[in-house]
Amino acid sequence: MGSTIVLHACCAICSAHPVSYLKDMGYRVIVYFYNPNIYPVQEYQKRFEAQRTLCEHFGCELVEGKCKPELYYDFVKGFEDEPEKGLRCDKCFELRLRKTAEFAKSIGVNEFTTSIVISPHKNFSKLTSIGERIAKETGIEYLAVDFKKKDGFLKTNKISKELNLYRQNYCGCSFSLR
């Protein structure tokens, strides 16, 4: 087996194809579920349980980051009224990717990436820019893979249907419920 990578997972559906893809690339994948933005707590639990099911299916390690919603709300303070895909979302991505990079570094892993980019609603270039900036700041590498390419979004949905994974109908934060 090749090197290890930490994959930030926003949810099981979005991470299904990325886990498969990274494993096919020869990586040992550690899935880091860090999402203090997810509201309410019942939604968080549903998403985490689906992630557990996916990781068991693929035989990869799942690590749950400490979920402290107050950290998320402090981080996006002043951006509460931003529209979806606006600056509040950028701040949220930054928080989650930064914590992923810090986790990777703390366990001696030199690479990280995120499943968020598989969503057709998320901007790959923007997420890559955030990831690469954090990589420079932390001294580890950000693997920029546009997982939605080559039918990645279709593949992730196929895997999630086969495993009967929980499917949410909003991004996750209380603001996206509006």
Side-chain angles (χ1 to χ4, degrees):
M1 177 85 41
S3 60
T4 301
I5 191 165
V6 173
L7 171 69
H8 168 264
C10 53
C11 67
I13 290 170
C14 286
S15 60
H17 175 62
V19 168
S20 174
Y21 185 95
L22 292 167
K23 286 181 73 97
D24 287 348
M25 286 179 69
Y27 283 102
R28 173 178 164 258
V29 180
I30 298 174
V31 173
Y32 188 60
F33 189 85
Y34 179 75
N35 300 290
N37 57 307
I38 297 175
Y39 174 88
V41 69
Q42 297 85 348
E43 179 70 20
Y44 178 91
Q45 290 165 341
K46 287 178 189 174
R47 293 184 192 202
F48 182 73
E49 285 309 312
Q51 192 68 58
R52 184 189 319 272
T53 299
L54 180 77
C55 289
E56 286 171 0
H57 172 77
F58 281 112
C60 59
E61 185 179 347
L62 171 61
V63 176
E64 181 181 15
K66 283 194 167 117
C67 183
K68 295 181 179 174
E70 63 278 6
L71 182 62
Y72 163 72
Y73 288 108
D74 285 347
F75 207 77
V76 301
K77 192 167 188 65
F79 298 94
E80 297 89 344
D81 295 327
E82 281 285 313
E84 280 302 290
K85 302 180 184 176
L87 295 176
R88 182 189 64 250
C89 296
D90 294 355
K91 294 285 288 178
C92 181
F93 299 148
E94 179 186 349
L95 172 65
R96 293 187 288 161
L97 290 179
R98 183 172 302 286
K99 290 293 185 184
T100 302
E102 289 169 358
F103 168 73
K105 191 169 185 169
S106 78
I107 61 168
V109 173
N110 195 41
E111 260 183 298
F112 75 106
T113 192
T114 182
S115 65
I116 298 172
V117 297
I118 201 164
S119 170
H121 305 291
K122 304 298 186 250
N123 183 313
F124 175 75
S125 297
K126 184 184 285 190
L127 279 154
T128 297
S129 173
I130 293 168
E132 288 175 345
R133 179 171 40 84
I134 291 167
K136 281 181 188 155
E137 293 168 9
T138 58
I140 68 171
E141 293 178 46
Y142 177 75
L143 180 66
V145 177
D146 193 348
F147 293 113
K148 67 182 148 277
K149 296 270 179 160
K150 297 182 184 173
D151 294 326
F153 191 67
L154 289 173
K155 290 173 184 171
T156 213
N157 280 304
K158 182 177 185 279
I159 296 166
S160 62
K161 282 180 183 158
E162 287 169 2
L163 296 177
N164 196 28
L165 297 175
Y166 170 71
R167 175 175 292 279
Q168 66 275 2
N169 61 5
Y170 67 104
C171 186
C173 74
S174 58
F175 308 109
S176 66
L177 279 170
R178 288 186 272 198

